[in-house]
Amino acid sequence: MAGLVAFVGRELELSRLLGALAGDAWLVLVTGDAGVGKTRFAGEGMARAGTGGMVAVRGECLPLSGTLPLLPLASALGELASLDGGRVLAAALDAAPGFARAEVGRLLPQLAAGAGEPGAAERGEGWRRERLFAGVAELLAAVARGSGSGLGLVVEDVHWADSETLDFLTFLGRAGRAGVVRVVVTCRGDEVPLKPQVAEWLAQARGAAGAEEITLGPLSRAEAAEQVAALVGGPVPPGVVEELFARAEGNPFFTEQLVAAAIPGPAGSALSLPAGLPARLAGLLAARTARCAGDARAVLNALAVAGRPVDEELLGAVTGLDVGAVRRGLRELAAARLLAHDTLPGGGQRPRHALLAEAVVGGLLPGERAALHERTARALFTAGGEALAGEAAGHWQAAGRPAEELPARVAAGGAAERVFGYPEAAGHWLRAVELCQAVPDAASAAGIGVPQLHVRAIDALDLSGEGVRAGRAAEDAYRRFAGHPDPATAAVICQRAAHFRAIDAPAAGLPLINQALRLFRQAPPSAEQAEAWFDHANLFLRSAQGRLGGHRSALTRALQIAEAAGATTLIPRVLGSLALDALLGGQVEQGLGFLQRGQVLAQAVGDGPALVWLAVIDSNALLKLARFQDAADVAVRGLDAAGEAGLAGSWTATVLAVNAAEALLALGRTDEAAALVGPLTSGPPDRDHWLVHVMRAEIDLLRGETGAAERRRRLLEAITAGIGSVDLARESAQRAAELALWAGRPGDALAEVQRVLPLFTVPDLTISCGWLLAAGMRACADLAEQARARRDTPAAENAIAAAGGLALWVRQMAGAPFTDHPFVAAIPAERATWDAERNRLTGPSDPAMWGWVAKAWQDLGCPHRAAYAWWRQAQGQLDAGQPPTVAAGALRAAAAAADGHQPLLAQVRTLADRARIPLQPPAATGRKAPAQAETPAPYGLTGRELAVLRLVAAGRSNAQIGADLFISRGTAAVHVTSILRKLGVTGRVQAAALAERAGLLNNPQP
């Protein structure tokens, strides 16, 4: 029979694939049942794309429980390193940012020498994972740019992918990162059940912009006939083709196996297909492998159990055969079409299909399987050390050898952490914990510290985003080891448990952090001890309690210990917190000094994460100082630095994006803020990025998309309800209250304010509560105004009482929210707003007060808040009976400053329409342009009559209509009489019904 045959059929699908590779798609998902030819299809497509200059590299996922994370990516990079004698890789590394070389070296050992990569991952350094992703992405982009035609990355069998590989693919596609890199992913459509993370990734990929899915079905009868002829090397009788097509149902792999199993007939006669084979593939494969015996069978069994490509040396170690015997066995398997045809040079051999391997393993006796797993584990660890320790551990587990499995798990956990495969590392650490409990002697014999394994598992789970599981693991470790005889060990256990308790119940964690600090006093200075003091200061004193008392001394202690222990990654973070402490305490110059010191230190050691963290502190300080343009500039530069450091998806980058957007919104530049935040909020909110979604909801509101804003807020409710930081809770509630106010729900806005204020038990951080309180007072004033319009005295009294409750809280906080502070420049304007809203509780607005408010916000450079004050000023002037010409100035100023705030602009226009105030002032000179003829409304109603009719339909009395439109009650009555006459009706109810049927009640266009 013929060797590897030419590609058959699929021309329509190939056309789609090539179109996607040449177009805007960054991801092509190729799906289909096992054996349908996904690998051949992807290979053919990339080969054709390669004729146009596209560089293609490939990696495959393996069906292993303990493989090294990012294995397909490492394989693809290895293939890249072999192209053109390594020159393609070298040129790309030269073109990529400097940090990329060290990060790629984590996956390419030949680049790692001298890179200074860390050992086990330090707690709190999940950023390094994204730095690795960023480094590899930069390298791939450099290759793509260098080729001129892009780069194609093929990831085979993503249904077996590890979570880190999936996260990298997500990272590559996020916000257009892929650029000129095209990703082709193959996935079995019949793999049931899929791992949860794979199923979730597939769902997101299918709904992502720039992704295209190509589903491969069976070959047609004509295509199957072409395949069979190519396999046989000549014409095949139609009857044989029909039988093959009926039994294989157009599946190329099944067809190939049936042809390979066919028995050649006598000279000149047709093939004789094996009789009695079941329709299912398992029976077919069993029949297919039954011909193999001796060395070939031993090699096939070893390949099937290994579950990965295996080279000749490893096969020899597992089977006990010499090289000659291994090669003879491989040749026999190749002749029988039982080996994969797409094996890379030097990449080892594997069975033709995963289902073939499953059938072979299933046919082994339990003792045979266990022996092969044991020999494979020894051979893998000998050949690859820690790099293959995860696979070795899986084989030790399958062989039922826990004593050997434990050290392999420990080695695998460390190896996974070094490439930031924290989910995989967590699995290894948790399994090691189980083994220690089941076989305690094994841990002692291996010299493994069981408490340290618990800590590694906790940290890996935390860095994986599994905070809930990490918290449970921390509680389990606390129950087991809080009384450990070594004080340092017990202290670390207590600190971990305290840290996770602080997220949802800070009061429950406080005794534990205090216990940890007492225990640490009995041990030498360490990074863990410094971090405990850092947590005590930030999580328990400032964030959870809003308390600065003791905060400075705790941070100072953390700094001293960090310096003594040489914890260089912690020192700039402590300095940043000291800067914030000084700023909040009113010591602005000292705070800026701490900040500068931290920046100098971080720059000296090239600590990218510290620089990004300090940019958060810096931009936040500039926001508080009302230096909005500077704040935006610092935050945007910080975002650029975050990208360079591989931190684009981190919490700190999220906060920087929020700070930049907040500064832009303060300046009235809504569209610029939307452009910044939009790409970061394309998916649903989660615990790592919820804050930027809070900002997106505000932007949606300002752009007039109130429904979208409210839908996003509802998604955020479950996340924001458990915020442990009082300051973040304040910010979330403040924006939620603002949304509720503009959506016409002042009661909900007041509830948001009342919910968050009790979290502040001391005045220290209430200096940031001014705008929250002003929103609460506005809600009270709106409720009172509505109650007066309904003549609902109890409701009005309730609103006044609620306002009194807010004022009482301010007094309990010693007036701090409205006392001038050198760090919070907006306090005077917030105080003026509070006073003006409070004045509105019992009657019309005081125009003079609102004029002062507008001036205060205008001086700060906040156009939207100034516009709100001008709108209230004009409203107060008209309510006081002043002529529209008096209110026109404030109303026109409001309209000009409200650009980018659609709800406010709509209110300004409504007020202008009712008062008949043109928002564009008349031209000072020149001839007046002739007025355009007004398009007559149905029934001959004038514009003023239409406005009156809408209020009639809303149930307003003549007096209320007059108040709304700033006309007298008598004038309103004249308009109503005219409307009834023109409509030909005798009463208000008839007029309202007719107006609704005629479409006269639609809101006028602004």
Side-chain angles (χ1 to χ4, degrees):
M1 295 185 184
L4 180 61
V5 300
F7 189 80
V8 171
R10 310 284 194 205
E11 289 302 324
L12 179 60
E13 292 90 341
L14 277 171
S15 177
R16 285 185 58 198
L17 174 59
L18 293 173
L21 293 174
D24 295 331
W26 76 271
L27 173 69
V28 180
L29 181 61
V30 179
T31 59
D33 290 349
V36 82
K38 299 180 292 297
T39 297
R40 288 292 307 277
F41 173 78
E44 179 69 16
M46 299 312 295
R48 296 190 186 187
T51 61
M54 175 175 279
V55 175
V57 291
R58 169 186 170 276
E60 63 181 326
C61 307
L62 299 176
L64 305 173
S65 61
T67 188
L68 188 68
L70 300 173
L71 181 62
L73 186 58
S75 299
L77 291 174
E79 185 175 342
L80 181 63
S82 68
L83 295 179
D84 195 19
R87 284 183 284 274
V88 173
L89 176 63
L93 287 170
D94 289 341
F99 78 95
R101 182 179 296 271
E103 298 307 320
V104 173
R106 297 177 186 276
L107 299 175
L108 283 180
Q110 61 266 39
L111 294 181
E117 66 178 76
E122 295 183 35
R123 184 166 180 265
E125 291 200 359
W127 67 273
R128 292 187 181 274
R129 169 179 174 272
E130 293 234 2
R131 181 179 170 90
L132 168 63
F133 288 178
V136 175
E138 292 285 0
L139 173 73
L140 296 180
V143 173
R145 290 191 296 267
S147 74
S149 299
L151 177 138
L153 171 64
V154 180
V155 179
E156 295 276 9
D157 297 327
V158 79
H159 45 272
W160 290 322
D162 60 279
S163 59
E164 295 304 301
T165 296
L166 298 174
D167 287 347
F168 173 75
L169 294 177
T170 300
F171 179 90
L172 195 62
R174 185 189 300 149
R177 284 183 183 277
V180 287
V181 178
R182 301 291 183 262
V183 181
V184 178
V185 168
T186 69
C187 180
R188 272 168 52 172
D190 56 350
E191 181 73 12
V192 179
L194 288 169
K195 292 186 289 187
Q197 65 264 30
V198 175
E200 180 181 356
W201 184 86
L202 286 172
Q204 293 178 354
R206 285 175 168 134
E212 183 169 344
E213 182 171 358
I214 299 175
T215 301
L216 300 182
L219 296 177
S220 67
R221 181 177 274 97
E223 290 171 332
E226 185 180 352
Q227 180 194 11
V228 173
L231 287 167
V232 173
V236 179
V240 175
V241 172
E242 286 298 320
E243 183 180 355
L244 282 167
F245 186 74
R247 295 176 68 180
E249 297 180 345
N251 185 292
F253 175 65
F254 297 176
T255 300
E256 179 183 290
Q257 293 301 301
L258 280 169
V259 171
I263 303 169
S269 64
L271 292 174
S272 175
L273 297 178
L277 286 175
R280 305 295 296 176
L281 181 62
L284 170 64
L285 293 174
R288 182 71 190 88
T289 59
R291 297 182 184 181
C292 297
D295 294 346
R297 187 69 193 199
V299 171
L300 180 60
N301 290 346
L303 290 172
V305 168
R308 68 172 344 270
V310 182
D311 60 26
E312 294 176 357
E313 183 178 353
L314 195 66
L315 280 171
V318 175
T319 62
L321 300 174
D322 60 31
V323 175
V326 168
R327 288 177 178 170
R328 286 192 297 273
L330 289 171
R331 278 195 292 270
E332 184 176 337
L333 294 174
R337 295 186 179 279
L338 294 176
L339 290 184
H341 59 71
D342 56 349
T343 301
L344 297 173
Q349 304 289 340
R350 60 186 175 89
R352 173 67 180 82
H353 197 278
L355 294 178
L356 173 63
E358 292 175 19
V360 171
V361 172
L364 295 172
L365 295 173
E368 291 176 316
R369 282 198 298 272
L372 278 171
H373 279 299
E374 179 179 339
R375 293 200 295 270
T376 302
R378 295 187 189 281
L380 284 172
F381 196 78
T382 300
E386 288 191 351
L388 298 180
E391 295 180 45
H395 286 291
W396 284 125
Q397 184 177 7
R401 301 290 295 271
E404 289 81 1
E405 182 189 350
L406 178 58
R409 290 289 176 193
V410 173
E417 284 184 342
R418 276 188 283 280
V419 293
F420 318 115
Y422 299 117
E424 290 70 27
H428 290 305
W429 298 129
L430 290 171
R431 174 61 181 166
V433 167
E434 291 177 11
L435 290 168
C436 289
Q437 295 169 2
V439 193
D441 293 343
S444 301
I448 295 171
V450 181
Q452 287 71 30
L453 289 179
H454 281 263
V455 173
R456 298 290 285 272
I458 293 165
D459 293 350
L461 286 168
D462 187 28
L463 292 168
S464 303
E466 294 275 0
V468 175
R469 290 181 65 200
R472 288 199 297 263
E475 290 295 328
D476 180 57
Y478 179 73
R479 286 191 297 271
R480 293 176 184 275
F481 304 111
H484 196 278
D486 175 38
T489 298
V492 170
I493 294 295
C494 290
Q495 189 262 342
R496 293 299 192 274
H499 180 91
F500 288 100
R501 286 189 186 183
I503 295 174
D504 297 316
L510 186 58
L512 271 65
I513 196 67
N514 288 333
Q515 182 182 355
L517 294 175
R518 286 193 299 271
L519 289 166
F520 271 128
R521 292 192 188 102
Q522 306 173 42
S526 65
E528 295 281 8
Q529 183 181 5
E531 188 166 358
W533 281 103
F534 187 72
D535 273 0
H536 177 60
N538 287 331
L539 291 180
F540 292 97
L541 295 180
R542 180 172 59 81
S543 293
Q545 300 177 16
R547 187 185 301 273
L548 294 181
H551 183 248
R552 172 76 66 90
S553 60
L555 287 173
T556 301
R557 183 70 176 135
L559 181 61
Q560 292 169 346
I561 296 170
E563 289 175 337
T568 56
T569 61
L570 184 60
I571 292 172
R573 291 165 57 201
V574 178
L575 288 170
S577 291
L578 281 167
L580 183 58
D581 177 271
L583 291 166
L584 291 170
Q587 300 162 316
V588 175
E589 292 303 320
Q590 185 183 43
L592 296 178
F594 276 127
L595 190 59
Q596 184 179 21
R597 180 180 163 194
Q599 290 167 336
V600 169
L601 178 60
Q603 288 169 350
V605 298
D607 191 342
L611 289 170
V612 175
W613 166 248
L614 293 168
V616 169
I617 304 293
D618 195 3
S619 58
N620 187 56
L622 292 167
L623 280 171
K624 292 288 192 294
L625 294 168
R627 293 168 53 186
F628 300 117
Q629 186 59 58
D630 291 341
D633 292 342
V634 167
V636 170
R637 286 198 299 269
L639 283 171
D640 292 339
E644 285 291 321
L647 280 167
S650 66
W651 170 256
T652 47
T654 295
V655 178
L656 280 171
V658 169
N659 285 355
E662 183 176 348
L664 292 169
L665 291 182
L667 295 168
R669 288 148 58 179
T670 305
D671 288 342
E672 291 179 54
L676 178 70
V677 167
L680 305 177
T681 53
S682 56
D686 55 41
R687 283 193 74 92
D688 291 329
H689 305 94
W690 66 268
L691 190 59
V692 75
H693 284 269
V694 171
M695 181 60 67
R696 170 63 182 271
E698 179 167 350
I699 291 171
D700 288 343
L701 167 69
L702 296 179
R703 299 175 82 178
E705 300 168 7
T706 307
E710 296 201 281
R711 286 192 296 273
R712 194 174 295 271
R713 283 299 321 188
R714 285 193 291 272
L715 291 174
L716 283 163
E717 286 174 359
I719 298 173
T720 57
I723 298 173
S725 164
V726 293
D727 206 38
L728 289 177
R730 186 266 313 159
E731 183 164 347
S732 177
Q734 177 177 301
R735 298 187 191 282
E738 191 90 0
L739 171 58
L741 285 168
W742 287 109
R745 296 183 285 102
D748 291 344
L750 178 59
E752 284 286 346
V753 177
Q754 292 171 329
R755 177 183 61 81
V756 79
L757 289 181
L759 298 177
F760 293 86
T761 58
V762 294
D764 298 5
L765 296 188
T766 63
I767 58 174
S768 298
C769 289
W771 189 248
L772 174 73
L773 290 162
M777 190 57 70
R778 174 185 168 186
C780 293
D782 286 353
L783 289 169
E785 192 176 69
Q786 292 172 2
R788 289 196 299 272
R790 297 191 309 267
R791 298 184 179 180
D792 186 344
T793 302
E797 291 174 348
N798 289 339
I800 293 171
L806 297 180
L808 175 62
W809 184 87
V810 173
R811 290 195 297 274
Q812 290 170 342
M813 295 296 111
F818 296 126
T819 300
D820 289 355
H821 192 285
F823 181 48
V824 187
I827 285 180
E830 290 167 346
R831 182 175 61 240
T833 306
W834 159 275
D835 290 339
E837 295 285 15
R838 196 174 183 183
N839 175 263
R840 198 163 61 88
L841 270 171
T842 55
S845 293
D846 182 334
M849 293 184 75
W850 284 111
W852 299 330
V853 174
K855 174 89 166 51
W857 287 116
Q858 185 182 31
D859 289 346
L860 285 174
C862 299
H864 289 167
R865 294 186 181 180
Y868 173 80
W870 277 317
W871 169 57
R872 288 293 188 195
Q873 181 185 20
Q875 191 179 57
Q877 289 168 333
L878 293 168
D879 287 342
Q882 297 181 29
T885 53
V886 173
L891 204 54
R892 287 168 184 157
D899 184 37
H901 194 317
Q902 291 303 315
L904 174 57
L905 194 56
Q907 292 291 339
V908 170
R909 287 170 173 168
T910 298
L911 183 60
D913 180 62
R914 290 178 177 178
R916 289 190 163 183
I917 296 175
L919 292 179
Q920 294 296 330
T925 58
R927 287 181 64 184
K928 182 177 179 180
Q932 293 183 350
E934 182 178 339
T935 302
Y939 299 95
L941 297 173
T942 66
R944 175 61 79 178
E945 287 171 340
L946 282 171
V948 171
L949 176 58
R950 294 184 183 104
L951 294 173
V952 167
R956 300 296 184 93
S957 67
N958 288 345
Q960 290 171 326
I961 292 171
D964 283 347
L965 297 180
F966 305 104
I967 56 179
S968 69
R969 177 178 181 174
T971 303
V974 171
H975 282 308
V976 172
T977 301
S978 176
I979 290 167
L980 297 180
R981 177 179 55 78
K982 290 182 178 181
L983 294 181
V985 296
T986 58
R988 289 171 177 261
V989 174
Q990 290 176 307
L994 177 60
E996 183 175 9
R997 289 195 301 271
L1000 300 178
L1001 301 184
N1002 297 329
N1003 290 329
Q1005 295 298 318

